[in-house]
Amino acid sequence: MEDIKDYTAHIDTKKRITLRGARYDYYNVREYANGCILLEPRELVRPESISAATLRTMDASIQNFKAGKVSAPLDLSSITK
């Protein structure tokens, strides 16, 4: 693989490194025992649908609600002021 950029970076007082001209907003970071750090670009996307597990949980919650298996009402008046 060919180098596109080669520069020295340093850690600032808050233990951060600045990437010059970064192409992505998000990176997965892997740090190895030998000191190597691997950055893999990530693109965050919204899921197109609700997962099957979430739908099952929602269905079970509605069944419990209809069967009267619910907790006592919560009093939120103290935190809404």
Side-chain angles (χ1 to χ4, degrees):
M1 192 179 316
E2 188 177 332
D3 286 345
I4 295 176
K5 293 181 186 178
D6 184 14
Y7 61 91
T8 301
H10 70 280
I11 296 176
D12 68 10
T13 57
K14 294 186 178 182
K15 305 288 185 188
R16 299 175 298 190
I17 293 178
T18 301
L19 300 177
R20 300 177 191 166
R23 296 181 183 185
Y24 296 89
D25 291 332
Y26 298 94
Y27 290 86
N28 182 51
V29 180
R30 290 185 190 170
E31 185 174 354
Y32 295 95
N34 66 359
C36 290
I37 297 174
L38 175 65
L39 300 175
E40 293 180 315
R42 294 287 188 250
E43 290 194 26
L44 303 181
V45 295
R46 293 185 179 181
E48 294 183 17
S49 64
I50 298 173
S51 70
T54 301
L55 289 174
R56 283 193 302 272
T57 302
M58 290 170 61
D59 289 341
S61 297
I62 294 300
Q63 287 176 352
N64 288 337
F65 177 75
K66 288 180 178 178
K69 297 179 184 178
V70 295
S71 64
L74 297 175
D75 180 14
L76 301 177
S77 61
S78 64
I79 62 170
T80 58
K81 294 179 182 180

